Amino acid sequence: MSARNPTARFSPMTSTPGPVPSLDIDALIDDPKQRIIVCCGSGGVGKTTTSAAIALRAAERGRKVVVLTIDPARRLAQSMGIEALDNTPRPVPGVVSTGSTSTGSTSTGSLDAMMLDMKRTFDEVVESQASPEKAQQILNNPFYIAVSSSFAGTQEYMAMEKLGQLDKDARASGRWDLIVVDTPPSRSALDFLDAPERLSSFLDGRFMKLLLAPARGPAKLMTAGFGLVTKAVTTIIGGQVLNDMQAFVSAFDTLFGGFRQRAQRTFELLQAPGTSFLVVAAPEPDALREAAYFVERLSAEKMPLAGLVVNRASSDPGGTLTAAAALSGYENLRDETDPVTRMAAGLLRLHADRKLIVERESRLRSRFATAHPGVRTAVLPALPSDVHDLDGLRRIGDLLATASG
């Protein structure tokens, strides 16, 4: 896996780009060869809503879908009936499958949903890879409990683990023919792809090897240098904590190889035909910068990119009055004492502000398109309220299907 490119090519626009190709969501979800859709992007850009809307639309167009959501907002969870869901996929009530696709095929779709339980997924991995006695020893270890609950990158890694499990189950049972993944709300969108490497590096790091030395090697490995290190660590973190760490690493040692192998298999699954990534962003500099990083990383890793979804774009207020003209009118009228005139001044200022926001967002999207020509794009307008039911998700799906770049 390659390292992150710290300098994404997201520079000021130097030329006017050609027409940005539109993202055809219906063609994507209607393709029977399409088995996995991964929605990724920085936190707070609407990944979870986008994932849920795509999953619902696919199900109502005849696909058998499971959507893996990560920490959805309460109202969104309620809209899908998943407030009581856990690490097990469960049916979403109220799905109306029309079976009508762009190709004219008909079938009855379904939608299951689940919320990732990071620790439970980690526990399942341990239970599936170790003997019952060894698994219980690991699960009861205080250091394991801390690592599986809060270690940086664990949520991202377990999302990939769960994706691998779902794909395996789908192929074996035929229960689903499409998996939609909402990636974790990481500080950086790249954390999802980097997580396996980071966790593997942690588990196979020098400190872990040092802790394993007493269990792996003969007495001659217990050198004076090792004793000094152990004494220093004990002084810092305490003897019991060190004992817990050593017991965990010793018990976990036999599972290291399995973690690496599954991480590699899942990474290859993400590269395989039938998987597509949708990068989700807001029309803001930081979000589009993260989107640019991800587009370049996906290209470097030879992973299939379906396109970019720009959420919550501001709507143009319309009319022929420019922002400059509206601001000029506002300046001329704002000191007037007549209430009607002052109201007109306020409306002019509001119109100018809306126009300026739309122009700024358009420039940002143009800069992205210049740096990444050919990336199919769907631009969704900001809605007046949060999505709180299936009808709201259907509306998002309709907007996705008809949106253009």
Side-chain angles (χ1 to χ4, degrees), residues 214-234:
R216 279 183 174 173
K220 64 181 181 181
L221 290 178
M222 297 294 292
T223 63
F226 177 81
L228 289 174
V229 172
T230 301
K231 183 177 180 180
V233 172
T234 301

Side-chain angles (χ1 to χ4, degrees), residues 144-393:
Y144 166 79
I145 294 172
V147 169
S148 61
S149 301
S150 58
F151 180 71
T154 302
Q155 187 180 52
E156 289 79 9
Y157 181 87
M158 290 306 146
M160 294 190 77
E161 280 278 357
K162 183 55 67 176
L163 171 58
Q165 292 176 13
L166 290 173
D167 180 68
K168 183 178 179 181
D169 292 347
R171 293 179 186 275
S173 67
R175 180 178 174 185
W176 309 295
D177 57 32
L178 179 63
I179 302 169
V180 180
V181 182
D182 161 34
T183 58
S186 309
R187 182 178 180 183
S188 168
L190 296 172
D191 288 348
F192 180 65
L193 295 181
D194 288 332
E197 184 177 13
R198 291 207 317 271
L199 189 62
S200 179
S201 297
F202 165 73
L203 295 175
D204 200 27
R206 291 182 179 179
F207 184 61
M208 289 301 181
K209 289 180 178 178
L210 185 64
L211 293 176
L212 274 171
R216 279 183 174 173
K220 64 181 181 181
L221 290 178
M222 297 294 292
T223 63
F226 177 81
L228 289 174
V229 172
T230 301
K231 183 177 180 180
V233 172
T234 301
T235 301
I236 296 171
I237 66 175
Q240 185 58 50
V241 174
L242 180 60
N243 290 337
D244 289 339
M245 292 172 66
Q246 288 177 320
F248 161 73
V249 175
S250 179
F252 211 75
D253 186 32
T254 57
L255 305 185
F256 282 11
F259 269 85
R260 295 191 197 92
Q261 291 170 7
R262 282 191 310 282
Q264 184 60 35
R265 283 198 299 268
T266 303
F267 206 80
E268 291 170 355
L269 176 64
L270 295 175
Q271 294 174 315
T275 297
S276 290
F277 282 80
L278 283 175
V279 178
V280 184
E284 299 294 337
D286 288 346
L288 283 171
R289 190 174 296 111
E290 286 288 306
Y293 288 151
F294 216 112
V295 166
E296 294 182 4
R297 174 66 181 277
L298 291 172
S299 176
E301 301 290 357
K302 297 181 173 57
M303 292 185 177
L305 172 66
L308 171 73
V309 175
V310 180
N311 267 331
R312 305 167 187 161
S314 300
S315 299
D316 194 302
T320 59
L321 186 64
T322 66
L327 279 174
S328 177
Y330 165 74
E331 293 293 337
N332 290 333
L333 299 177
R334 67 175 183 171
D335 294 329
E336 297 292 331
T337 58
D338 177 63
V340 175
T341 304
R342 289 177 65 85
M343 181 180 295
L347 291 174
L348 285 170
R349 181 55 189 263
L350 179 62
H351 180 87
D353 289 345
R354 288 282 302 278
K355 280 284 190 181
L356 290 172
I357 291 172
V358 170
E359 291 171 6
R360 178 181 64 85
E361 292 179 0
S362 179
R363 287 195 299 271
L364 287 170
R365 296 199 305 272
S366 294
R367 286 169 56 190
F368 185 96
T370 300
H372 304 90
V375 174
R376 298 185 178 278
T377 304
V379 180
L380 272 63
L383 298 180
S385 61
D386 291 334
V387 174
H388 60 273
D389 55 20
L390 289 183
D391 285 340
L393 291 177

Side-chain angles (χ1 to χ4, degrees), residues 60-82:
E60 295 194 331
R61 291 175 68 84
R63 300 298 298 270
K64 297 177 181 178
V65 188
V66 58
V67 56
L68 170 61
T69 65
I70 314 293
D71 192 26
R74 181 174 178 80
R75 273 180 294 209
L76 181 59
Q78 290 175 339
S79 74
M80 299 185 70
I82 62 174

Side-chain angles (χ1 to χ4, degrees), residues 389-401:
D389 55 20
L390 289 183
D391 285 340
L393 291 177
R394 290 189 184 99
R395 183 181 181 190
I396 296 292
D398 290 341
L399 289 172
L400 277 167

